[in-house]
Amino acid sequence: QLPLVESGGGLVQPGGSLRLSCTASDLDVHAIGWFRQAPGKVREGVSCISASDGSTYYKDSVRGRFTISRDRAKNMVYLQMSNLRPEDTAVYSCAQRWNTCSLRTRDFDSWGQGTQVTVSS
């Protein structure tokens, strides 16, 4: 099992966009979740895409602004983030688990190192 690797973070102004990428493994059997952790706060689930049918799930505060997608041929999962807000500032990590989605940290067993997203003017 290869490690998960995130990329695409950076500094962006409020209202701007970023696309995060996650190099995963065997998306036919692994659901991939995106999580974030802001300074002084607990890690929270942001979005997830399931293995079997690619169903997607979102935290309420990002629904309509963030879009999760995958490319199974490349074993890549993306998180397109639009209309970013200062409160979206955090370290974003991807994680994988067997088949079905969850937005609970404890349900995932493999994690990437994370990529920093900073939303500031």
Side-chain angles (χ1 to χ4, degrees):
Q1 181 169 296
L2 297 174
L4 285 78
V5 180
E6 305 89 344
S7 62
L11 173 65
V12 63
Q13 292 185 343
S17 299
L18 278 177
R19 189 179 80 157
L20 305 183
S21 299
C22 172
T23 302
S25 62
D26 201 352
L27 295 180
D28 288 338
V29 298
H30 289 130
I32 303 297
W34 280 100
F35 295 79
R36 67 186 182 187
Q37 186 168 21
K41 296 189 177 181
V42 298
R43 182 181 284 173
E44 62 179 5
V46 174
S47 182
C48 184
I49 186 164
S50 69
S52 56
D53 61 2
S55 296
T56 58
Y57 303 85
Y58 298 94
K59 175 181 173 63
D60 286 347
S61 64
V62 307
R63 187 175 292 112
R65 301 188 297 123
F66 291 10
T67 303
I68 191 170
S69 62
R70 65 182 181 177
D71 183 332
R72 287 191 288 179
K74 296 181 179 179
N75 278 327
M76 295 291 295
V77 175
Y78 306 100
L79 186 67
Q80 178 69 46
M81 306 185 295
S82 302
N83 193 19
L84 283 161
R85 305 167 180 170
E87 54 264 39
D88 294 318
T89 295
V91 174
Y92 284 71
S93 302
C94 59
Q96 68 182 31
R97 69 186 300 267
W98 185 262
N99 197 28
T100 58
C101 263
S102 170
L103 291 182
R104 297 183 302 189
T105 302
R106 65 178 183 267
D107 290 338
F108 288 77
D109 49 25
S110 296
W111 292 82
Q113 291 297 310
T115 185
Q116 176 70 47
V117 171
T118 302
V119 184
S120 175
S121 56

